[in-house]
Amino acid sequence: MTKRIFHSICLVAGSVFAACVALFLCVLYDYFSGVQQAQLRMQTSLAAQGVIHEGTGYFEGLDASNYRITWIDMDGTVLYDNKSNLADMENHLRREEVVDAIYKGEGESSRYSKTLLERSLYCAQRLPDGTIVRLSVSQHTLLTLFLGMLQPICVIVVIALVLSLVLASRLSKRIVQPLNELNLDEPLSNDGYDELAPLLRRLSTQQKKIKEQSIALLQKQQEFEAVTMGMVEGIVLLDSKRVILSINPAAQRLLDTDASCVGDFILSVNRSPELQQLLAKADEGTYAEKILTLRDGKYQVDASPIRSDGKVSGTVLLLLDVTEKEKVEQMRREFTANVSHELKTPLHTISGCAELITNGIVKQNDITKFSAQIYTEAQRMIHLVEDIIKLSHLDEGADAMKRETVDLYTLAQETVKSLTPVAKKAKVTLALEGQSAELDGVPQLLQGILYNLCDNAIKYNRKDGKVTVSVEKEPQSVRLTVADTGIGIPEEHQERIFERFYRVDKSHSKEIGGTGLGLSIVKHAARLHDAAITLQSEPNQGTVITVVFPTKKVAAEGESTWKN
Ligand code: ADP
């Protein structure tokens, strides 16, 4: 700004100076021309008087180097010329000043002299004898005048230039100083130029607006942070260059970073190619999702493009924990595959036996044997389907089941009674110990626990083995123990026997009618009673399974403690 003002001032000063010099030269030139003309007129008159009195003698010894003197006869023949050779000179009768002198007595003109090649002033006077005396003098041109004055002009130019520079510099500084001193934080408090008032008013309004907008923006940002802060889902906001603008604590934990990553590229936080693919799709404006393994869980990562003015200006990443969902899905898949597999074997056997009987291949004596086989397999299927139904009921939760005060000892008595024939058949002694112990529970589920544990204790026992069921009442719980002297469970299988369809010895279990679901039912039913199961077993020594049912409510009064 200062430079511009300075240059403008210098330019104006230079232009004014040049115009003044030009005007001054023109005026001077005009003045000197007039003076020269008057002098020439007077000199011509003196020369005419000289020629009248002295004739040609006047020219002898005449020193008039500045003037050209020409004496012209009445017919235009040049009689004398002090600057040119007479022989080379043409007739002068047609010269303007000569013509005027012949007719009017005197004449004047100015023109370029072809002979002397410069601009000349001419003045002619007719003598009484009819001859004409003419004087001419070279006239100063503007350039000659300018060159003559060059030295003083140069001095004036230098002085003017220095003065202009100093003044322009000071002036431009004085103009700009109030602008530099403007208080832009409070535009209306300035006492500057009046011309700036509208600008300052506008500035003040704009500042107010910006302040209001930034407060609103800050409020929104705080609201957004407050919402995302407590979210279990991870949220990451990225700009169009994939720089992190915001990341909530859940996302920080999942991506193994902290809040200081704001402003960094997402690539510096997570380099997984799957995430990059998601972001590439979002950059193209397409929503994309993928299941990624973050930390030790499975997460669904959604990448949604943010659009503004029809362009993708950023991406929102949403990280949802789907570990449980994936596990349940996996379990469902495995369960379906297992059920199909479990049902296929008895169905094949039944179908094979029935086919043989139908085709008359089986001898009459063997029909009973084959029918018994069909019956056994059908029973196995019925057990399997019953167990599956029980499990699916348990999967639905205990809310739908009626809870009541149950005496576990009485239930155990019934179970022992119903299983005594089975135990006898397996040559196993079945005994019950303990005393009456009441608890809040679902009778069918408790029955299921007792039945499956006792049934297993008989099934996986040895000849002349023993099964002891005991129900103990404790201050805050009821303890159910089923101990047997059977084949036991090797340690490596102990953790997995509560899984669905898991058997230590598949063929043995099937042989004795096991479905592989008994302990799963026990685990589920116990969980729905908040009961803890412990297992102690040693191969060929026996197994002790203990279920401890809490009798005191853990949660607030009136609320159920049975949770899914
Ligand atoms: P199953 O119908 O095959 O008995 P369970 O779920 O009841 O299925 O039991 C799972 C597996 O655990 C059984 O196949 C068996 O190998 C083992 N098991 C369960 N109870 C006992 C026990 N008392 N003694 C030895 N092994 C047992």
Side-chain angles (χ1 to χ4, degrees):
M1 177 77 171
T2 315
K3 259 188 189 173
R4 271 197 192 174
I5 293 172
F6 178 74
H7 286 158
S8 304
I9 290 172
C10 285
L11 192 74
V12 170
S15 310
V16 169
F17 180 75
C20 284
V21 168
L23 191 74
F24 181 65
L25 282 176
C26 287
V27 170
L28 268 186
Y29 179 72
D30 198 46
Y31 172 75
F32 283 127
S33 295
V35 170
Q36 212 172 13
Q37 189 82 39
Q39 274 184 351
L40 186 66
R41 210 174 294 134
M42 201 175 78
Q43 295 293 346
T44 310
S45 174
L46 289 172
Q49 288 303 317
V51 174
I52 291 170
H53 291 294
E54 294 176 36
T56 22
Y58 174 74
F59 299 115
E60 285 163 19
L62 184 72
D63 182 20
S65 57
N66 289 341
Y67 291 94
R68 179 182 172 193
I69 301 174
T70 316
W71 189 25
I72 305 157
D73 203 358
M74 284 165 70
D75 59 358
T77 316
V78 177
L79 300 172
Y80 173 78
D81 194 287
N82 64 339
K83 294 276 167 128
S84 304
N85 194 351
L86 291 181
D88 302 335
M89 294 187 76
E90 58 187 32
N91 191 294
H92 273 46
L93 200 60
R94 288 179 188 273
R95 299 284 195 277
E96 192 189 337
E97 70 282 358
V98 176
V99 173
D100 280 355
I102 291 171
Y103 292 108
K104 298 176 191 166
E106 55 183 36
E108 286 176 8
S109 73
S110 80
R111 65 175 174 274
Y112 276 104
S113 162
K114 282 182 188 169
T115 335
L116 297 174
L117 294 174
E118 61 182 12
R119 189 171 185 82
S120 304
L121 287 176
Y122 294 93
C123 190
Q125 199 170 340
R126 191 182 66 212
L127 303 185
D129 60 355
T131 59
I132 291 143
V133 169
R134 186 190 75 173
L135 258 73
S136 85
V137 69
S138 299
Q139 193 183 23
H140 293 303
T141 58
L142 259 178
L143 183 67
T144 339
L145 194 65
F146 178 72
L147 289 175
M149 293 180 72
L150 194 59
Q151 208 178 357
I153 285 176
C154 281
V155 174
I156 292 170
V157 164
V158 170
I159 293 169
L161 206 67
V162 172
L163 271 175
S164 301
L165 288 177
V166 173
L167 286 177
S169 156
R170 291 177 99 187
L171 196 64
S172 56
K173 271 183 193 159
R174 265 172 64 183
I175 292 171
V176 171
Q177 197 181 10
L179 296 176
N180 286 337
E181 286 171 359
L182 279 180
N183 180 3
L184 293 178
D185 293 331
E186 289 171 39
L188 296 181
S189 68
N190 293 296
D191 269 344
Y193 302 114
D194 290 347
E195 291 81 354
L196 285 177
L199 176 76
L200 293 173
R201 271 200 298 277
R202 185 92 184 258
L203 212 64
S204 170
T205 323
Q206 295 281 1
Q207 272 185 358
K208 250 189 199 168
K209 255 191 200 168
I210 291 170
K211 233 181 217 171
E212 281 166 14
Q213 279 173 356
S214 53
I215 287 171
L217 208 68
L218 195 74
Q219 221 167 344
K220 280 204 174 143
Q221 194 184 341
Q222 282 169 350
E223 275 170 23
F224 175 76
E225 274 171 12
V227 170
T228 56
M229 190 81 99
M231 276 173 69
V232 188
E233 295 82 11
I235 284 195
V236 187
L237 286 186
L238 304 176
D239 72 2
S240 56
K241 287 177 186 150
R242 298 186 189 175
V243 171
I244 300 171
L245 300 176
S246 170
I247 179 165
N248 74 340
Q252 288 170 24
R253 190 178 49 78
L254 291 175
L255 298 173
D256 233 345
T257 182
D258 52 31
S260 65
C261 70
V262 172
D264 293 348
F265 287 99
I266 185 76
L267 198 68
S268 66
V269 173
N270 187 296
R271 295 186 163 269
S272 88
E274 287 97 338
L275 184 67
Q276 301 310 316
Q277 283 167 12
L278 278 180
L279 292 172
K281 278 200 174 168
D283 286 348
E284 288 164 12
T286 330
Y287 166 83
E289 60 175 52
K290 245 186 185 140
I291 306 284
L292 303 188
T293 308
L294 299 171
R295 292 198 138 223
D296 46 6
K298 295 268 180 198
Y299 286 82
Q300 180 182 321
V301 182
D302 298 353
S304 318
I306 307 168
R307 291 174 180 281
S308 60
D309 297 336
K311 275 185 184 173
V312 176
S313 59
T315 307
V316 181
L317 286 178
L318 186 65
L319 314 170
L320 302 162
D321 188 353
V322 290
T323 318
E324 271 308 308
K325 204 174 135 195
E326 285 282 302
K327 245 190 215 166
V328 170
E329 273 302 312
Q330 179 70 18
M331 270 171 63
R332 269 214 183 116
R333 279 196 293 271
E334 280 175 14
F335 187 69
T336 316
N338 282 331
V339 167
S340 323
H341 182 74
E342 293 292 332
L343 286 172
K344 215 168 78 185
T345 323
L347 272 173
H348 271 303
T349 316
I350 291 170
S351 160
C353 289
E355 194 184 6
L356 289 173
I357 295 170
T358 315
N359 292 337
I361 300 167
V362 181
K363 287 180 201 158
Q364 197 63 37
N365 295 343
D366 292 334
I367 285 185
T368 324
K369 210 174 101 192
F370 274 81
S371 303
Q373 176 96 29
I374 290 173
Y375 175 75
T376 314
E377 295 299 333
Q379 281 300 311
R380 186 203 295 273
M381 276 173 59
I382 290 168
H383 284 148
L384 190 67
V385 171
E386 273 173 0
D387 280 355
I388 291 169
I389 291 170
K390 273 183 209 159
L391 262 178
S392 70
H393 278 312
L394 289 170
D395 282 341
E396 277 166 21
D399 292 347
M401 300 180 199
K402 203 176 161 226
R403 276 167 283 158
E404 55 192 73
T405 307
V406 185
D407 184 351
L408 198 64
Y409 187 77
T410 315
L411 270 186
Q413 268 180 330
E414 286 168 16
T415 311
V416 167
K417 200 177 160 191
S418 73
L419 281 172
T420 303
V422 184
K424 256 188 192 164
K425 205 176 162 191
K427 297 203 172 22
V428 171
T429 319
L430 186 56
L432 174 66
E433 294 173 356
Q435 70 280 86
S436 174
E438 288 190 337
L439 58 95
D440 248 0
V442 183
Q444 305 97 290
L445 299 187
L446 296 170
Q447 180 82 61
I449 293 173
L450 278 161
Y451 180 85
N452 279 303
L453 291 179
C454 293
D455 187 44
N456 279 351
I458 298 166
K459 274 195 305 193
Y460 302 107
N461 220 312
R462 55 183 167 75
K463 207 179 160 195
D464 300 325
K466 203 179 165 191
V467 174
T468 311
V469 182
S470 109
V471 178
E472 301 291 336
K473 194 175 176 184
E474 291 176 344
Q476 295 187 347
S477 56
V478 172
R479 178 184 293 268
L480 165 71
T481 314
V482 179
D484 66 62
T485 53
I487 58 171
I489 305 161
E491 208 182 332
E492 66 270 24
H493 295 284
Q494 289 181 8
E495 256 197 19
R496 300 200 60 192
I497 55 166
F498 291 92
E499 288 175 17
R500 292 172 189 197
F501 296 111
Y502 191 83
R503 298 164 174 116
V504 175
D505 183 346
K506 243 182 192 164
S507 54
H508 177 60
S509 163
K510 280 188 179 174
E511 213 178 275
I512 53 175
T515 58
L517 295 173
L519 288 183
S520 300
I521 293 170
V522 171
K523 186 179 86 176
H524 260 70
R527 191 191 290 163
L528 292 176
H529 286 86
D530 289 329
I533 303 177
T534 48
L535 167 81
Q536 281 172 295
S537 184
E538 229 175 276
N540 299 321
Q541 293 296 313
T543 304
V544 181
I545 296 181
T546 312
V547 187
V548 180
F549 296 92
T551 47
K552 276 220 164 170
K553 291 199 171 183
V554 192
E557 199 64 30
E559 258 182 55
S560 170
T561 56
W562 298 0
K563 289 168 205 138
N564 262 323

